[in-house]
Each structure stands twice: as C-alpha cells, then as structure tokens.
Amino acid sequence: QVQLVESGGGLVQAGGSLRLSCAASGRASSRYVMGWFRQAPGKEREFVAGINWIGSYTKYGDSVKGRFTISRDNAKNTLYLQMNSLKPEDSAAYYCAASTTTIVAVTTTLYNNWGQGTQVTVSS
C-alpha cells in the first residue's frame, strides 16, 4: 500500500499558474506509475496526466496538453503537476493516484491507491 497526500491547490485567476504536489509514502512507492486525475461537481473523474516510475514517459489528457506538466522526484517520493495558463474549466478537485501496472493508464480502475484530493478553483 502507498499513502498519498496532495497539496498546493487554491484559488487563482484565469491565466495564472499553480503547482500541485503529492507526497508518497509506503513500500516501494517510487516504483509505481503515478497519475493526476480531476473531478468537477457532477462530472466523472477525468485523467489529467500520468508518468512512468522512472519519469521517462508521460501522457496527458487532451484538455491540458501544452499547459500542464507532470514530473516526479523519486528521491523525495514526490509527484508534481505544474499547471500554467489555467482556465475556469480547470476548476476541480485534483487527485493523485498510484498504479502497480507497468503502463501509464488513463482509466481510474487501473490505479490502486488514491489521495484525498486538493481543490483548484480558477476564477474568470
């Protein structure tokens, strides 16, 4: 089991930036595929970005490509999401997730461990 704790959410104006962090603890947490998902009220949880355990491969959801960057620091057991050019439609609760699979999956069912989420609100 891996324990995940997100931080860095908040209120920002459209066009601004935020950096989310996810601290991981537990057995071999640095060997997990990691991902960020988000969920707005009344909507399904949506894949935002994912990264393999070594950090050499990343995948993004279409709505965030070119604006968001996922990265990880395995020495610190921390996952990051740099969010630039934020839009009001990016407002959601953002969740960090870990997967024991070897692929960067976009579906929630392939992620075994989840954080509690951090709220991001983008004002227009």
Side-chain angles (χ1 to χ4, degrees), residues 6-117:
E6 303 95 334
S7 61
L11 174 64
V12 64
Q13 287 190 331
S17 298
L18 279 175
R19 187 196 197 201
L20 304 184
S21 298
C22 173
S25 60
R27 194 168 187 164
S29 57
S30 63
R31 292 298 185 113
Y32 284 60
V33 165
M34 301 291 292
W36 287 100
F37 289 77
R38 68 186 182 187
Q39 188 168 20
K43 295 189 176 182
E44 292 190 355
R45 194 164 292 190
E46 172 191 20
F47 174 78
V48 174
I51 189 167
N52 66 351
W53 77 270
I54 201 172
S56 60
Y57 177 80
T58 58
K59 185 183 291 185
Y60 296 92
D62 289 341
S63 61
V64 306
K65 281 180 183 176
R67 299 188 298 123
F68 290 12
T69 302
I70 188 171
S71 62
R72 66 192 297 167
D73 184 337
N74 286 340
K76 296 181 179 180
N77 287 329
T78 304
L79 176 74
Y80 302 100
L81 184 68
Q82 178 66 44
M83 305 186 295
N84 298 330
S85 303
L86 282 161
K87 306 174 182 179
E89 50 265 42
D90 293 318
S91 297
Y94 282 70
Y95 297 90
C96 170
S99 172
T100 54
T101 64
T102 56
I103 60 169
V104 178
V106 302
T107 55
T108 58
T109 53
L110 293 181
Y111 288 81
N112 318 90
N113 301 275
W114 292 86
Q116 294 300 306

